[in-house]
Amino acid sequence: MTDEIHRRRSIYLLPNAFTTANLFAGFYAVVQSMNGRFEVAAIAIFLAMVFDSMDGRVARLTNTQSAFGEQYDSLADMISFGMAPALVMYEWSLQGLGRWGWLAAFVYVVGAALRLARFNANIGVVDKQYFQGLPSPAAAALVAGYVWLAVDNKFSFADGTLSWSAFGLTVYAGLAMVSNAPFFSGKSFALGRSVPFWVLLVVVAVFVFVSSDPPVVLFGLFVLYSLSGWFTWLWRVRRARRLGQRLREAGGPPSNSDETA
C-alpha cells in the first residue's frame, strides 16, 4: 500500500518529458499563428498529437503511471488540443466573420474542456475500447488538418466560402467532442504483443500513403475518423432494435391455453 501511494504521488521524468513536448508544440502553434505562419502552426499541432500518444504508452511500458502525470497530461491537452487549434483557426480564417468567428472558436474550446473533464471523471468506468465523444487530439487534427490543407493548396478567401466552411468544421469538432458517439480508441493495441508480418507491411504502406501528400491524406483520414463514431452509433442502435424485436418475437403473444388457464 505504501509503495502504491508513493507511486501515485511520484513525478517521473520520461512520460512527463513527452507531455512537456506536447505542451511546447501546442504553445509553438499559437505563437506561429500570431506570426502568420499557419502551415507551421498546423504541423506543430500534429507533432503535439505524436507526443501525446507517446506519454501514456511510455508510462504504461515503464510502469511509471502517476496521478501527477494524469493531471499534467490533461492540462497540456487543453492547451495543445483546446486553445491552440481554436486560436490557429481564428487567426487564419474565423477572424473575418466577426462575432460569429470567435463564437465558433469558443464553442470548440468549451467542447474540448468538457471533453477532457468528462474523460477524467470517467476513468476506469467507460469502455476502454471506445471513446465517449470525439477525442480532443482527433478534433484538433481535424481543425489543423483543414488549415494545413487550405494553406498548402492556396485556397482563396474571396467568396467567403472558405471562412464559413471553417466555421462549420470548428463548431462540428467542438460539438462532436461532447457527444455520446463511440469512437474507436485503439487502446486494445499493445506494443509488446506479437503481430503477423502483414501488419508490419500495412504500417509501412500507411507511412508511404501519408508521405505522398500529408495535408490531403491526414485531413481525409481524420474526416473519416470524425464520422466513424456516428456510424458505430447507428450500428449499435440498429442492433439493439433487432435484438429487442427478436426478444419480443421469442416471447410472442399468449397462447389460447394460457388464456384459458
Side-chain angles (χ1 to χ4, degrees):
M1 181 64 71
T2 303
D3 292 340
E4 179 63 22
I5 293 174
H6 175 72
R7 180 176 297 279
R8 298 292 293 176
R9 292 179 178 177
S10 297
I11 299 174
Y12 297 96
L13 176 61
L14 190 57
N16 290 306
F18 282 101
T19 304
T20 303
N22 165 20
L23 180 60
F24 174 80
F27 177 77
Y28 185 76
V30 173
V31 172
Q32 293 306 310
S33 69
M34 294 170 63
N35 294 330
R37 302 178 65 188
F38 299 109
E39 187 172 10
V40 175
I43 294 173
I45 292 175
F46 277 97
L47 286 177
M49 286 183 57
V50 175
F51 293 130
D52 179 64
S53 66
M54 293 299 296
D55 57 5
R57 293 186 182 275
V58 168
R60 287 189 292 271
L61 286 173
T62 58
N63 197 26
T64 53
Q65 303 98 319
S66 67
F68 174 87
E70 292 175 358
Q71 299 304 318
Y72 186 35
D73 181 64
S74 293
L75 292 173
D77 287 353
M78 185 59 211
I79 299 298
S80 298
F81 309 130
M83 290 295 296
L87 290 174
V88 171
M89 182 65 90
Y90 179 78
E91 288 286 335
W92 173 67
S93 176
L94 297 178
Q95 192 172 9
L97 300 178
R99 66 175 179 272
W100 293 108
W102 64 259
L103 282 173
F106 181 68
V107 167
Y108 179 91
V109 172
V110 171
L114 293 174
R115 171 71 179 78
L116 291 168
R118 183 174 65 178
F119 177 80
N120 290 340
N122 291 339
I123 290 179
V125 177
V126 297
D127 183 6
K128 292 185 177 181
Q129 189 174 359
Y130 290 93
F131 290 118
Q132 185 182 10
L134 183 66
S136 57
L142 190 64
V143 172
Y146 187 69
V147 175
W148 191 5
L149 175 69
V151 173
D152 187 69
N153 290 276
K154 297 179 173 60
F155 290 171
S156 175
F157 287 93
D159 58 355
T161 303
L162 191 63
S163 296
W164 285 110
S165 61
F167 171 89
L169 185 70
T170 305
V171 172
Y172 170 77
L175 296 179
M177 282 189 283
V178 295
S179 69
N180 290 323
F183 291 86
F184 183 69
S185 67
K187 291 183 178 180
S188 58
F189 177 75
L191 293 178
R193 185 183 304 170
S194 62
V195 295
F197 180 72
W198 64 267
V199 175
L200 181 61
L201 296 178
V202 170
V203 172
V204 173
V206 169
F207 277 112
V208 173
F209 183 54
V210 171
S211 64
S212 64
D213 195 342
V216 173
V217 175
L218 288 175
F219 180 69
L221 289 176
F222 280 102
V223 166
L224 293 176
Y225 180 75
S226 68
L227 298 175
S228 65
W230 304 107
F231 289 106
T232 304
W233 176 73
L234 290 174
W235 176 75
R236 286 184 174 183
V237 170
R238 292 187 61 183
R239 187 179 65 173
R241 288 179 178 176
R242 289 178 179 176
L243 180 60
Q245 184 178 1
R246 290 176 181 176
L247 291 175
R248 288 192 297 270
E249 291 175 353
S255 62
N256 293 334
S257 59
D258 293 336
E259 293 178 352
T260 304

